[in-house]
Amino acid sequence: QVQLVESGGGLVQPGGSLRLSCAASGSISSINPMGWYRQAPGKERELVALIISGGSTNYADSVQGRFTISRDNAEKKMYLQMNSLKPEDTAVYYCNAYVLDGLVYRNYWGQGTQVTVSS
């Protein structure tokens, strides 16, 4: 059974920084892609950033230049460095991954970690 566990959320003041981590465990031969999503109260879940195994990345316009996604393939971990945080970044952040299961990739979600940006 594949599990994704996020950590690193918390309360931070506007302009501050946080680093989220996602650790994958279980029977994993390949993970591609991995990504961070977020869901604010009353809003739909949205893509924040995506990274493929070769290192290519994609960001939502709202976080471009402030957030950096990275991954450690050997450790099966993914990170999201969030700088210059704004109140509108407040949301539950979810780790997402497509994991190879035989001949198909299956989609998995973590349980989420709360990020609150407030003074």
Side-chain angles (χ1 to χ4, degrees):
Q1 183 70 16
V2 173
Q3 283 193 317
L4 303 177
V5 179
E6 302 98 334
S7 61
L11 173 64
V12 64
Q13 292 187 342
S17 298
L18 280 176
R19 188 190 193 213
L20 305 183
S21 299
C22 172
S25 62
S27 178
I28 298 171
S29 60
S30 175
I31 306 176
N32 200 36
M34 296 186 79
W36 289 98
Y37 289 73
R38 67 186 181 187
Q39 188 166 19
K43 295 187 177 181
E44 293 187 353
R45 191 172 298 188
E46 63 175 359
L47 174 67
V48 176
L50 200 67
I51 186 168
I52 64 172
S53 60
S56 295
T57 59
N58 188 36
Y59 296 93
D61 289 343
S62 60
V63 307
Q64 183 75 46
R66 300 187 297 121
F67 291 9
T68 302
I69 189 172
S70 60
R71 62 187 286 178
D72 183 331
N73 292 328
E75 295 294 325
K76 299 183 179 65
K77 291 183 177 179
M78 178 178 64
Y79 306 96
L80 185 68
Q81 178 66 43
M82 305 186 294
N83 299 328
S84 302
L85 282 161
K86 304 176 181 180
E88 51 263 44
D89 295 317
T90 295
V92 178
Y93 284 70
Y94 296 91
C95 172
N96 178 267
Y98 282 82
V99 180
L100 185 61
D101 180 5
L103 298 178
V104 298
Y105 278 85
R106 299 191 186 280
N107 191 226
Y108 293 90
W109 291 92
Q111 82 287 351
T113 185
Q114 177 70 47
V115 171
T116 302
V117 185
S118 176
S119 55

